[in-house]
Amino acid sequence: MPAGSQHRRLNSTAMSHPPNLPALILAAGRGERLRPLTDQLPKPLLPVRGKPMVEWHLQALAAAGVREVVINTAWLEHCFEAALGDGSRWGLHLHYSREGRDHGGALETAGGIAKALPLLGDCCWLVSGDIVAPGFRFDAQAAQRFARGDDDAHLWLVANPDFHAGGDFLLDGDRVRRPAAGQTRPLTYANLALVRHTLVAGVAPGQHAALGPLLFASAAAGRLGGERLDGEWHNVGTPAQWSALQDRPAAPPMGYSAPAPI
């Protein structure tokens, strides 16, 4: 990667009408609950169905026409570039936002977004590196609709899994609401979203900040859109979840074929 490329805006002259938006893959966490599997390998690089977990996202992003992808890193961050390189094998330009090197550790989700903004522009896809959603499409038309609007974020939501039975939100049409404590929250944030820079406007680069409170504030202000994700979706948070997932068959993301190098 050319010197200084991590600190420039990606394709800034082409951001006004992009075929698809850039993407940020969140990969900085320690993966404590997955130890000892994550003692020597970052969680997103753990193999799932024969390839690193993060590669499912890279293939799906490439299939959808995304070309610019940032991965934020902290724990064992040297492993990512060694394993994934510059992204050219998928037809991507892959860049790294190194929180470990620059700040001594992970900045949490909102802090990671704020640090990566100079690499991303005003809007981007956001996906956690520790989920598996083989059928999800990073749809360019959805990205363009979002970019033309003024919501802080657009979330994909799943029915509450057993490990998060209390849920996060409910859907009111295409509006995401955060019910008060004690009220039903039937849906959980799937760690898949489109986000705008306004979501983290109050977070300084290098600041530790969680994403949840910012999403709740956006929901209260009527600036949070969303929809249900009804296809296959897995959060890989424990060794048991990781092990069980290996036995499930899955096809490559729709529309994917190995691209020519760039």
Side-chain angles (χ1 to χ4, degrees):
M1 188 183 305
S5 63
Q6 296 172 34
H7 301 287
R8 61 179 175 83
R9 186 180 295 267
L10 300 182
N11 282 355
S12 57
T13 59
M15 284 294 294
S16 57
H17 300 287
N20 209 329
L21 293 173
L24 173 60
I25 300 177
L26 299 168
R30 171 65 176 86
E32 288 285 353
R33 292 184 302 145
L34 266 167
R35 297 183 69 186
L37 296 174
T38 54
D39 285 346
Q40 302 298 325
L41 196 66
K43 181 161 56 170
L45 293 181
L46 290 174
V48 168
R49 303 172 185 169
K51 58 191 168 190
M53 209 180 326
V54 70
E55 188 170 335
W56 289 96
H57 297 324
L58 296 175
Q59 288 185 346
L61 289 163
V66 174
R67 291 295 171 258
E68 308 292 352
V69 178
V70 178
I71 298 179
N72 75 329
T73 62
W75 173 249
L76 298 175
E77 62 186 2
H78 64 280
C79 295
F80 285 94
E81 191 164 8
L84 306 175
D86 63 1
S88 58
R89 77 187 79 166
W90 299 284
L92 300 168
H93 295 118
L94 192 55
H95 308 258
Y96 301 90
S97 179
R98 292 181 169 88
E99 297 173 21
R101 180 194 67 186
D102 297 341
H103 304 285
L107 298 174
E108 301 183 72
T109 302
I113 297 170
K115 175 178 171 60
L117 275 180
L119 295 169
L120 292 163
D122 290 340
C123 301
C124 69
W125 289 99
L126 181 70
V127 56
S128 292
D130 59 355
I131 64 164
V132 177
F136 185 79
R137 293 180 63 239
F138 294 89
D139 184 67
Q141 291 185 347
Q144 291 164 357
R145 285 194 302 270
F146 177 77
R148 290 193 297 266
D150 59 5
D151 279 343
D152 293 329
H154 183 94
L155 309 184
W156 275 262
L157 306 168
V158 295
N160 293 340
D162 292 342
F163 62 83
H164 192 58
D168 299 315
F169 298 107
L170 61 78
L171 269 176
D172 180 8
D174 67 351
R175 297 291 88 193
V176 174
R177 312 292 187 197
R178 171 75 170 172
Q183 295 182 314
T184 301
R185 298 170 181 165
L187 298 171
T188 292
Y189 171 44
N191 290 319
L192 284 161
L194 287 157
V195 299
R196 193 179 314 277
H197 68 97
T198 52
L199 182 65
V200 294
V203 181
Q207 177 183 343
H208 290 253
L211 183 61
L214 302 183
L215 293 177
F216 302 156
S218 292
R223 294 174 58 89
L224 195 61
E227 60 191 273
R228 282 192 63 134
L229 175 63
D230 292 320
E232 184 181 0
W233 176 88
H234 305 277
N235 178 81
V236 184
T238 67
Q241 289 171 335
W242 176 80
S243 179
L245 191 54
Q246 307 307 315
D247 298 328
R248 293 176 175 269
M254 186 180 302
Y256 176 77
S257 60
I262 53 177

